[in-house]
Amino acid sequence: MLVEDDPNIASLVDMYLRQEGYRVYQAVDGETGLDRIKQHRPKLVILDIGLSGELDGIEMCRQLRAASDIPIIMLTARDSEIDRILGLELGADDYMTKPFSPRELVARIRAVLRRTDGAARATQPPILNIREIEVDIARREVRLGGDPVSLTTREFDLLQYLAENLGLALSRRQLLDGVWGYDWVGDERTVDVHVLQLRKKLGDALKLTTVRGVGYRLD
């Protein structure tokens, strides 16, 4: 959820995030932002401190944090240490000063989501079921129709990550960050090779769709 009243900044951030495979909702004021957060339940909020209207970014952050632990990245034209500390003390997870690099914002979003998604994954059941496929996380075993399937370490990690994000279109970059690690350097097409191997080993039971221009989605 992007809550920003500057249309130029909002359009730029929206474009970069969609290119990275994220679904983006927008609001231009705090009241609308809170309503849409309740409606859409996003994984992260990008919040401008200097919102116009009765509910500015500081108050919106305060209300959000009182009701939820949703990750918040604050954007502001203010660069004083006091403003930065205030935003973080209110519960913001990160803070960026305008003007900022959209690429850096994307990197920070990934970093915040890795931390919060990691906490969420820790509460996942030890066994994930996808059609006839059973993924035993604790034992790191995969069974197809009750029969064991031999996967490499990376293949297992990729299948687990896809299963934990069931129904979401994930870009190759997201998959690399989530499975290979944020610091991994190499050809993004390595994802395609591992997807091909998973399809060979799990066959039609693996409903793994190629999302053109984005990456992959496990249904």
Side-chain angles (χ1 to χ4, degrees):
M1 170 64 68
L2 171 62
V3 188
E4 169 63 66
D5 58 4
D6 184 320
N8 293 324
I9 293 177
S11 177
L12 182 64
V13 171
D14 181 277
M15 178 186 72
Y16 268 84
L17 292 181
R18 290 183 187 277
Q19 286 177 349
E20 293 296 321
Y22 294 106
R23 180 180 302 168
V24 184
Y25 302 101
Q26 290 193 41
V28 297
D29 58 68
E31 293 84 354
T32 305
L34 287 176
D35 288 342
R36 291 185 177 172
I37 288 169
K38 292 177 183 177
Q39 177 185 356
H40 298 295
R41 298 185 179 274
K43 284 198 169 184
L44 181 141
V45 175
I46 304 169
L47 176 59
D48 178 24
I49 285 183
L51 293 173
S52 56
E54 296 181 1
L55 192 66
D56 65 10
I58 292 291
E59 182 57 30
M60 182 178 173
C61 181
R62 183 180 286 112
Q63 291 189 26
L64 272 176
R65 193 49 76 233
S68 169
D69 60 356
I70 186 172
I72 301 170
I73 296 179
M74 302 199 82
L75 303 178
T76 180
R78 309 170 188 173
D79 59 358
S80 73
E81 184 177 3
I82 292 176
D83 287 322
R84 191 169 318 197
I85 291 173
L86 177 59
L88 295 175
E89 285 186 344
L90 285 172
D93 295 84
D94 206 345
Y95 187 110
M96 292 191 69
T97 302
K98 300 174 183 176
F100 59 88
S101 161
R103 292 184 182 277
E104 182 182 354
L105 175 60
V106 169
R108 293 196 185 200
I109 288 171
R110 286 177 180 155
V112 171
L113 287 179
R114 275 201 312 278
R115 294 196 299 269
T116 56
D117 282 351
R121 285 198 297 272
T123 65
Q124 288 282 341
I127 296 180
L128 302 175
N129 292 288
I130 315 121
R131 294 158 65 91
E132 305 99 75
I133 302 169
E134 189 177 88
V135 183
D136 189 328
I137 296 174
R139 296 173 62 89
R140 291 187 65 84
E141 293 178 350
V142 174
R143 290 176 284 276
L144 176 60
D147 297 324
V149 178
S150 178
L151 299 183
T152 67
T153 299
R154 286 289 192 225
E155 288 166 1
F156 182 92
D157 291 341
L158 178 58
L159 178 61
Q160 178 182 341
Y161 192 79
L162 288 163
E164 290 170 347
N165 292 276
L166 200 66
L168 299 180
L170 301 171
S171 69
R172 290 178 178 84
R173 186 69 257 174
Q174 286 175 285
L175 292 169
L176 286 172
D177 289 348
V179 178
W180 279 260
Y182 183 67
D183 296 328
W184 187 86
V185 177
D187 192 340
E188 290 189 358
R189 296 294 171 177
T190 190
V191 173
D192 301 338
V193 175
H194 285 77
V195 165
L196 178 63
Q197 290 301 109
L198 285 177
R199 284 171 169 163
K200 284 182 178 179
K201 293 181 178 182
L202 297 172
D204 294 337
L206 187 71
K207 194 175 174 65
L208 184 53
T209 302
T210 300
V211 183
R212 184 171 297 178
V214 179
Y216 298 96
R217 183 186 69 243
L218 182 61
D219 296 310

